[in-house]
Amino acid sequence: MQAIRVHRFGGPEVLTLEDVPDPSPQPGEVVIGVRAAGVNPYDTYMRAGSYGARNPALPYTPGSDAAGVVEAVGAGVADLGVGDRVFTSGTVTGAYAAKARATREQVHRLPDNVTFAQGAGIYVPYATAYRSLFQLARARPGERVLVHGASGGVGTAALQFARAVGLRVIATAGSEEGLDLVRREGADVVVNHRTPGYHQQILDSTQGEGVDVVLEMLANVNLGQDLKLLATRGRVVIVGSRGDATITPRDLMTREASVMGVLLWGVSRPEATEIGAALGAGLRSGALRPIVGAELPLRAAPEAHERIIGSTALGKIVLVP
Ligand SMILES: NC(=O)c1ccc[n+]([C@@H]2O[C@H](COP(=O)([O-])OP(=O)(O)OC[C@H]3O[C@@H](n4cnc5c(N)ncnc54)[C@H](OP(=O)(O)O)[C@@H]3O)[C@@H](O)[C@H]2O)c1
């Protein structure tokens, strides 16, 4: 089968398409025929070797979000069969491949109303959005949430979750297409984060009261200003950051506000069960509809990595083996 392999850490050019042996399931595992693999920013940091002791052993196949069909079932797996449609929350052998091995716990049923390309855009973005909004910020219906960077994978997921429970959503994007996308997804207020003075637009949209929750995709750029946009006891969840930030601590004191970080891989088993249940219900009801912005062939993995870091976002980029 074909798979993307990384033999040394580096730029997108280290992602190479190769022929590798087909995987066989170990006990407690399944093999999935991958129909689509989601590209996450995290895949690019890992490819660059920026995780120190947590870097994968070389060579490896990137990717954790896959969707496809069960092709083989290992001993001890009784509740999944060949032909079942599934998506993953991680794999053993990597998602950027024609086939992937995954443990039973990493495999979830893909509802019939969700395409494979959408299925590849579920776990990392939606689980991160759910954890940030509900398990960490404890957002409640009626509150105001600023999704600061709403046009990408996590942002669109957060927008859909927030809308589904009755939060008032202020969504930002950095391109006209991105603004259209978040408007179509039902944001109550849409703001361009590349327009000078846009913070005032956000404050004005709350009649000066501020927002209760911020989901922040680029904290190194925005954290200092986020604190000035908060209402009393507001909460900022840092989802993404690519450098250091400067804040004015008094902005937190005067609002009794808090800042927290999210780490998807830090969820406990009960929290993961809760996330799985919320994803399943939202997908089946249609409240959650992953947005596929681009489908590229597997061999275009280097281009996909360049695009997810270098250009404006429009939903998810997925690779099709
Ligand atoms: N902590 C965790 O566990 C976890 C899990 C998943 C993801 N993440 C991180 O979260 C971030 C977002 O992930 P993603 O999958 O949504 O990436 P993505 O699909 O590439 O989207 C990136 C988003 O950031 C926005 N953005 C760009 N410049 C911005 C600015 N100056 N201010 C506010 N937003 C800006 C983009 O908007 P435009 O392109 O429209 O400008 C887009 O909406 C990444 O850094 C990722 O590594 C963390």
Side-chain angles (χ1 to χ4, degrees):
M1 68 156 188
Q2 290 197 309
I4 295 291
R5 302 290 282 163
V6 173
H7 292 270
R8 62 183 171 86
F9 298 118
E13 71 283 355
V14 303
L15 300 163
T16 53
L17 185 64
E18 295 176 13
D19 285 318
V20 297
D22 279 13
S24 322
Q26 303 299 303
E29 294 181 353
V30 300
V31 167
I32 300 160
V34 177
R35 301 288 190 270
V39 176
N40 289 295
Y42 167 84
D43 303 342
T44 72
Y45 317 146
M46 191 154 274
R47 182 215 69 225
S50 51
Y51 277 97
R54 296 186 66 180
N55 281 336
L58 295 169
Y60 78 100
T61 293
S64 56
D65 286 347
V69 173
V70 174
E71 289 196 354
V73 176
V77 177
D79 58 345
L80 279 176
V82 172
D84 285 348
R85 300 173 86 249
V86 293
F87 70 96
T88 64
S89 55
T91 71
V92 177
T93 53
Y96 293 12
K99 299 180 189 201
R101 262 172 61 206
T103 65
R104 175 64 192 87
E105 293 72 33
Q106 291 173 321
V107 177
H108 316 272
R109 286 184 188 279
L110 186 68
D112 289 338
N113 60 336
V114 184
T115 66
F116 290 122
Q118 289 177 309
I122 297 175
Y123 195 77
V124 169
Y126 281 84
T128 303
Y130 181 90
R131 179 159 181 74
S132 302
L133 274 176
F134 303 117
Q135 293 182 333
L136 295 174
R138 309 233 167 253
R140 292 182 301 276
E143 286 194 311
R144 295 187 185 103
V145 58
L146 167 63
V147 182
H148 213 165
S151 49
V154 179
T156 49
L159 181 46
Q160 292 174 5
F161 264 128
R163 292 284 297 155
V165 302
L167 286 152
R168 185 172 157 77
V169 185
I170 303 165
T172 80
S175 68
E176 282 309 316
E177 294 86 349
L179 293 168
D180 284 345
L181 171 66
V182 298
R183 205 173 281 120
R184 275 199 308 278
E185 287 304 308
D188 297 282
V189 178
V190 172
V191 177
N192 188 332
H193 52 232
R194 297 191 209 280
T195 303
Y198 77 93
H199 303 102
Q200 192 58 45
Q201 270 176 271
I202 294 172
L203 261 187
D204 290 348
S205 76
T206 69
Q207 290 76 46
E209 290 177 11
V211 298
D212 301 293
V213 173
V214 180
L215 254 54
E216 181 50 64
M217 304 304 152
L218 201 55
N220 54 306
V221 173
N222 295 322
L223 186 60
Q225 279 296 332
D226 286 343
L227 303 188
K228 301 184 193 302
L229 297 175
L230 287 176
T232 301
R233 295 196 191 88
R235 294 87 77 196
V236 179
V237 182
I238 298 176
V239 181
S241 187
R242 293 178 183 161
D244 294 341
T246 302
I247 64 162
T248 303
R250 186 164 286 275
D251 289 333
L252 291 165
M253 291 159 57
T254 51
R255 295 168 174 82
E256 293 195 318
S258 46
V259 178
M260 56 199 113
V262 60
L263 179 65
L264 181 57
W265 310 121
V267 297
S268 65
R269 199 172 268 262
E271 287 168 333
T273 302
E274 177 186 324
I275 290 170
L279 293 184
L283 290 167
R284 284 190 299 274
S285 75
L288 306 181
R289 289 160 288 97
I291 296 166
V292 179
E295 289 185 51
L296 301 175
L298 193 55
R299 70 181 141 68
E303 180 190 338
H305 275 211
E306 272 164 21
R307 278 168 70 166
I308 198 163
I309 295 298
S311 45
T312 52
L314 271 185
K316 287 296 303 180
I317 300 173
V318 304
L319 296 171
V320 180

